[in-house]
Amino acid sequence: VNLTISTTTDASGFYQIPNVDVGTYNAIANKTGYFPDNATVMIYGGVTTNQDLYLAPLDHIIVAPSPINVDAAGNRQFTAVGYDAWGNEIEWLTFTWTTDVGSVDPTGLFTAQTTTGVVGYVRATNGTVSGDAVVTIVSSYIEVLYPNSGEILIIGDACEILWSASGGTAPLTVK
């Protein structure tokens, strides 16, 4: 039999659930912005049962990716995850997103400003806790990473090189 009984605590954090039948129950305490707790509780007839449950508050937020280069006027999706002081992920958090180097929408989609060479942040906030990703605004670029240090390429030569554009690398053949 599935049974769900809900209650709220008083100002001191105490709760009561009266008139519960004898049996074994899974008690779950949760609150938005806190890591939940649960316990197996055995209810016996004619006695009061006490069960403490502890909610761990949001301690820190990690925003990813960080650090990251973003092309001027380019887009990048950021994600945020909140944790309690013991490193437990807290689910169902919502974040307010802000930045000082462009704009960011409510889902964490960032659009870079057009001025390059600027370092700033994309920030996710929940209540009084926030986390930042470090963002550098760059001009669109291709950085050639030669296979052999000091190799000189002459126009018209065929060679295979690695290239990097905004942090990603892939093989590229130049002919």
Side-chain angles (χ1 to χ4, degrees):
V1 175
N2 286 330
L3 172 67
T4 300
I5 301 172
S6 297
T7 189
T8 56
T9 64
D10 63 20
S12 299
F14 292 102
Y15 66 95
Q16 285 187 349
I17 304 173
N19 305 317
V20 178
D21 291 336
V22 171
T24 302
Y25 298 89
N26 185 31
I28 301 170
N30 57 42
K31 180 179 178 181
T32 300
Y34 289 77
F35 187 76
D37 192 16
N38 66 72
T40 300
V41 181
M42 298 169 111
I43 304 297
Y44 301 99
V47 296
T48 299
T49 302
N50 293 312
Q51 179 63 54
D52 292 332
L53 297 166
Y54 301 95
L55 298 174
L58 178 62
D59 179 70
H60 62 281
I61 298 169
I62 296 178
V63 179
S66 181
I68 184 78
N69 291 337
V70 180
D71 291 337
N75 294 315
R76 183 65 185 212
Q77 182 67 53
F78 286 84
T79 60
V81 179
Y83 297 90
D84 67 15
W86 297 274
N88 297 304
E89 181 179 338
I90 299 175
E91 297 180 1
W92 310 111
L93 293 175
T94 58
F95 300 100
T96 301
W97 292 91
T98 56
T99 183
D100 65 346
V101 287
S103 63
V104 62
D105 76 9
T107 69
L109 181 62
F110 169 72
T111 301
Q113 66 185 29
T114 56
T115 304
T116 61
V118 179
V119 178
Y121 64 83
V122 170
R123 178 172 294 150
T125 303
N126 180 286
T128 60
V129 180
S130 63
D132 291 353
V134 177
V135 179
T136 302
I137 308 303
V138 297
S139 57
S140 297
Y141 69 95
I142 295 178
E143 177 184 348
V144 178
L145 307 171
Y146 296 97
N148 298 311
S149 179
E151 181 178 347
I152 297 175
L153 299 176
I154 299 174
I155 295 175
D157 286 350
C159 64
E160 188 170 357
I161 60 174
L162 290 178
W163 64 279
S164 174
S166 297
T169 59
L172 171 70
T173 302
V174 178
K175 295 183 179 183

